[in-house]
Amino acid sequence: MPAEPDHPIDPPLIDLPIKTASRGFYDGFSREVTIPSKVIVSLLIMWAIFFPVSASETLSAANSSIIATFSGWYVYLVAFLMFTCFVLALFPQSGTLRIGNPGEEPEFGRFSWFAMLFGAGIGIGMLTYSTGEPLAHFSNNPDIIRGLVDARTAEAVRPAYIYTFLHWGFAAWGTYALVGLAIGYVAYRRNLPLTIRSALAPLFGLRLSGVWGHLVDIVAVVATILGVAVTMGIGVEQFVMGLARLGVGDWLLDPDGSSSIAAVILSLLVLVGASTISALSGVGRGIKWLSNLNMGLSFALLALFAIVGSAFGGLKLLGVGVWDYLRTLVPNSLTLFDAGGEFGDALVQWQLDWSVFYWAWWIAFAPFVGMFIARISRGRTIREYVFGVVLVPSLMCFFWMAMVGGTAIDLELSGAAQGSIVNAAMSDQLFATLAVLLDPAVAAVVSGLVVLLLMTYLITSADSAILIVNTINGAGESESERNHHILFWGAALAFVVGSMLILGGIDAIRITMIIGALPFSFVVAIMGVGILKAVIYDLFRKHHGVPTTAQGCAEAAEGK
């Protein structure tokens, strides 16, 4: 609809047609997106299964060159995403804009909204890394590398939590929030399809209906599968370790302590099978119910650590850690270590192994989590959305890691653990903490609770990912899901995780994900520019009385 002559700006684009099939196997889906996505993921699986040596060597070589070349890109991109989110939320005029039509109420209550954020976001990671990351930085971090503090001492705890919170705080959730906001804002205000390409429409308009839009969505689908594969791989390893702790059988572990092939295959059959069934039931039923169960079990586990763990020490760690995190957030978010000098090479390697890996992981995870957050956040203002998606989950992660990880560190510092926790595999450290903290019978019961919680988190993450991939393939139409496509993506996810775990363990999945995240990282950068333009132009439209929503455009047309 053209603007009035005295209006210096046109109304927003409210139609982005994406061609979909009207019949046959791909009825309701974009063949140009779905078929190439399936081909790429299938080729990746066959490459890993039939040429494992070549795959392993190629992945390692590609990982070294990509990380060395693009580490600075990942660091500065994530800093830009965080900055953009907070600017949009804190600026008075933009913060009150609604992700939807004016006055529209949110679809989900706050508890279910927060529960689904955790289930889809980083629930699995928190179970593995709640002990694993603080203990890892307790043993090695930049301050230890520089010789400022000694490893595994009381002095190493404070810097350990600075870097733990750096990785699991605003960087992760700011990345998710930016992608979700960029998609949800144009989808629910302008009736554009709920898909990745729509977030770029403020910049490129109708050109995204064609091949460039298809390419963006294909990149997003592949990044989603690889990002979720990392989470699934970490979860499966910890799931198997938990079953071994419960005495299910020696066959679960190989002699070197890693998960056996049989254990990986059986776990994936159970977990992906259950997640596929849940995906068939949709967001409002299976996923919502499982997410609420996850939240309840998580609080029960946290309550246990608060009662029998180092509650006072954990709360002190939380307070000091949040203060340290906030005062060092800007310099740590912009620091890029240089090779050379006495400590340069070690600092660069540490940053590549931790910070850069995490930034790539969050970016690869962002199309999935961002789409999912957009799907469940309709009706909220930008300010409520950003604070809800960034601040609340970050504080929950901080609390979880301070209570659980703080207990594990306290047991090591006091001598009670005698190295049994810090020297365990990361996937076993939570179970090792429970074994030291509790009587054997109680530890077995609580370990069973952790295994159940892991299972529900894994199922929630996988079924959410399957639904989001189908939504992208269906040109943003979540109702166009077809059972055979859900089954394909469930099987594909299982094969990616299984083939990579068997090929080279979690490292192979991590390398594949970092490579897959690179193309999507450029899409995310453009999204950041796109949402800034969309919001600024809408504020300009409001000032001049031009409609900013599809509903407003329709009402203006009727008024004429």
Side-chain angles (χ1 to χ4, degrees):
M1 182 186 73
E4 292 293 323
D6 58 339
H7 289 158
I9 186 170
D10 290 336
L13 177 71
I14 58 172
D15 184 32
L16 184 65
I18 303 174
K19 182 183 176 184
T20 57
S22 57
R23 56 191 173 85
F25 187 79
Y26 289 99
D27 180 25
F29 285 79
S30 168
R31 288 192 180 95
E32 292 81 1
V33 175
T34 309
I35 294 174
S37 299
K38 287 183 175 181
V39 169
I40 292 170
V41 172
S42 299
L43 289 174
L44 181 65
I45 293 168
M46 289 189 287
W47 180 48
I49 292 175
F50 296 113
F51 305 99
V53 176
S54 170
S56 181
E57 292 175 351
T58 304
L59 286 175
S60 297
N63 179 58
S64 300
S65 58
I66 286 176
I67 284 292
T69 305
F70 292 98
S71 56
W73 164 249
Y74 282 127
V75 168
Y76 297 131
L77 172 60
V78 170
F80 165 70
L81 300 178
M82 286 190 286
F83 176 76
T84 301
C85 280
F86 283 114
V87 165
L88 291 173
L90 294 173
F91 194 73
Q93 287 83 358
S94 61
T96 57
L97 291 175
R98 195 169 293 276
I99 305 171
N101 294 307
E104 188 172 352
E105 291 296 320
E107 179 181 359
F108 298 101
R110 281 203 174 98
F111 182 85
S112 291
W113 187 49
F114 289 140
M116 285 189 279
L117 289 178
F118 285 116
I122 50 177
I124 297 168
M126 279 204 302
L127 285 177
T128 299
Y129 287 96
S130 58
T131 49
E133 179 139 5
L135 286 169
H137 299 325
F138 178 58
S139 302
N140 188 41
N141 65 60
D143 285 10
I144 294 172
I145 292 171
R146 294 187 185 104
L148 302 177
V149 296
D150 292 328
R152 301 186 181 182
T153 62
E155 290 74 24
V157 176
R158 195 162 173 174
Y161 271 87
I162 290 177
Y163 295 108
T164 298
F165 288 0
L166 174 69
H167 296 149
W168 291 85
F170 300 165
W173 292 98
T175 302
Y176 298 159
L178 188 283
V179 172
L181 179 60
I183 297 166
Y185 188 85
V186 296
Y188 297 134
R189 288 180 66 88
R190 305 179 180 183
N191 280 355
L192 300 188
L194 187 69
T195 188
I196 303 298
R197 73 175 78 185
S198 294
L200 308 186
L203 295 172
F204 303 112
L206 290 172
R207 281 172 287 187
L208 292 166
S209 290
V211 63
W212 289 108
H214 301 329
L215 183 62
V216 166
D217 283 346
I218 291 167
V219 167
V221 169
V222 175
T224 296
I225 293 297
L226 296 179
V228 174
V230 173
T231 301
M232 291 288 291
I234 291 169
V236 165
E237 287 198 331
Q238 192 173 25
F239 182 73
V240 171
M241 203 65 70
L243 293 177
R245 283 270 180 179
L246 293 173
V248 172
D250 296 336
W251 58 274
L252 291 166
L253 301 178
D254 285 335
D256 63 358
S258 62
S259 303
S260 67
I261 294 176
V264 169
I265 293 173
L266 181 62
S267 298
L268 287 171
L269 283 174
V270 172
L271 296 168
V272 177
S275 66
T276 304
I277 293 171
S278 177
L280 293 171
S281 69
V283 174
R285 294 181 293 278
I287 295 175
K288 179 181 176 181
W289 184 85
L290 278 173
S291 296
N292 289 335
L293 176 63
N294 291 344
M295 185 69 87
L297 290 174
S298 298
F299 278 126
L301 188 60
L302 268 180
L304 173 75
F305 275 93
I307 294 169
V308 301
S310 303
F312 178 74
L315 290 174
K316 183 179 178 181
L317 267 179
L318 178 65
V320 173
V322 169
W323 164 249
D324 285 345
Y325 168 65
L326 293 175
R327 70 178 176 81
T328 60
L329 177 61
V330 173
N332 281 342
S333 297
L334 297 174
T335 295
L336 190 65
F337 294 123
D338 293 322
E342 186 178 358
F343 309 115
D345 292 343
L347 289 170
V348 167
Q349 191 59 50
W350 180 91
Q351 188 171 37
L352 296 181
D353 290 342
W354 287 99
S355 300
V356 175
F357 159 68
Y358 273 121
W359 298 171
W361 188 9
W362 304 148
I363 289 167
F365 222 43
F368 152 50
V369 182
M371 282 276 291
F372 187 76
I373 293 174
R375 168 66 183 82
I376 63 176
S377 299
R378 180 169 189 163
R380 303 191 184 276
T381 64
I382 289 179
R383 183 171 297 117
E384 180 188 17
Y385 170 89
V386 170
F387 288 162
V389 175
V390 177
L391 296 184
V392 176
S394 293
L395 288 173
M396 185 64 182
C397 289
F398 297 164
F399 183 74
W400 183 281
M401 290 183 163
M403 297 300 293
V404 180
T407 298
I409 288 176
D410 190 53
L411 292 172
E412 287 291 352
L413 287 175
S414 68
Q418 297 182 338
S420 63
I421 301 174
V422 73
N423 293 324
M426 186 177 287
S427 57
D428 192 36
Q429 286 177 333
L430 179 57
F431 299 111
T433 302
L434 294 171
V436 175
L437 190 63
L438 305 170
D439 291 333
V442 180
V445 172
V446 178
S447 295
L449 170 68
V450 174
V451 170
L452 177 61
L453 183 57
L454 260 173
M455 185 168 68
T456 57
Y457 271 134
L458 281 161
I459 293 169
T460 306
S461 291
D463 62 14
S464 301
I466 292 166
L467 285 174
I468 291 305
V469 165
N470 261 357
T471 301
I472 297 173
N473 289 332
E477 191 58 59
S478 60
E479 300 304 319
S480 67
E481 294 144 9
R482 296 292 181 271
N483 291 355
H484 41 262
H485 295 293
I486 289 176
L487 293 173
F488 173 86
W489 289 113
L493 190 56
F495 273 108
V496 170
V497 176
S499 61
M500 292 297 172
L501 278 179
I502 293 167
L503 166 67
I506 196 66
D507 285 341
I509 304 180
R510 286 168 54 139
I511 294 169
T512 309
M513 178 274 300
I514 289 172
I515 296 169
L518 183 59
F520 190 70
S521 69
F522 297 105
V523 176
V524 173
I526 301 171
M527 280 184 171
V529 178
I531 186 60
L532 285 172
K533 180 182 177 182
V535 169
I536 291 170
Y537 274 48
D538 275 359
L539 293 176
F540 196 48
R541 290 183 181 104
K542 284 183 68 176
H543 178 71
H544 289 279
V546 178
T548 62
T549 65
Q551 183 185 70
C553 291
E555 291 171 353
E558 289 175 4
K560 291 184 178 181

